[in-house]
Amino acid sequence: MKASLWKANLIVFVGSFCTMALELVAARILAPYIGVSLYTWTSIIGVVLAGISLGNYLGGKLADRAPSQNTLGWLLFVAGIATLAVILVAQVATGANLDLPLIPKIVFLTTVIFFLPCCLLGMVSPLVVKLTLQDIHQTGTTIGTIYAFSSLGSIAGTFATGFVLISMIGTRSIVALVGVTLVTSSALRRGAHD
């Protein structure tokens, strides 16, 4: 496998790992304000998937308009900043006096706090694919490999966060670690396509 494909795989692995870490800590961030229930988890999963879906769409548009390593670097950087802002946004949003029924309140808070970072992270894979594709005859292999590594990152992020990180370093530290990882990963922007 070419070095550029390995670097692309690493970038999408990290992005997906970070997305799942955010999804798992979301329940712990929201729990003091709205509890942990089926409604909370339904909202978290739905909002994260909505963010990823819109991010995939917007990432495809961005990939066609500005396909560059610089764009990828800025995208990772902004996703990192949006992630670092999660705790502050959570404090402001949950401190607001929302006169809403329970389910709309849960969906609203989840969306305000977690939609943006998940959307930005969803934009990463389409841009990485665009930057990595070199041979039209290898399109299926390249895209399949990149999305396989993205899924592996999601699995690793789920297990690492749920089984190790939450008990070892806590929720706020995980959010900070994810944000710093994404900001640091922006330096890899030159690596997805040599």
Side-chain angles (χ1 to χ4, degrees), residues 136-162:
I136 194 70
H137 300 293
Q138 296 294 317
T139 301
T141 300
T142 301
I143 293 172
T145 302
I146 288 171
Y147 278 94
F149 273 84
S150 176
S151 295
L152 288 173
S154 294
I155 294 165
T158 300
F159 287 157
T161 304

Side-chain angles (χ1 to χ4, degrees), residues 7-72:
K7 291 175 184 176
N9 292 337
L10 178 61
I11 291 168
V12 297
F13 181 94
V14 169
S16 294
F17 185 106
C18 291
T19 303
M20 292 312 297
L22 272 179
E23 183 172 356
L24 284 178
V25 300
R28 294 178 66 93
I29 291 171
L30 292 170
Y33 311 103
I34 56 177
V36 178
S37 66
L38 177 61
Y39 297 144
T40 306
W41 275 110
T42 300
S43 180
I44 291 167
I45 293 167
V47 166
V48 169
L49 289 174
I52 292 168
S53 296
L54 181 60
N56 285 168
Y57 175 77
L58 295 175
K61 293 286 190 184
L62 181 64
D64 286 341
R65 291 184 182 161
S68 73
Q69 299 305 321
N70 196 40
T71 302
L72 178 59

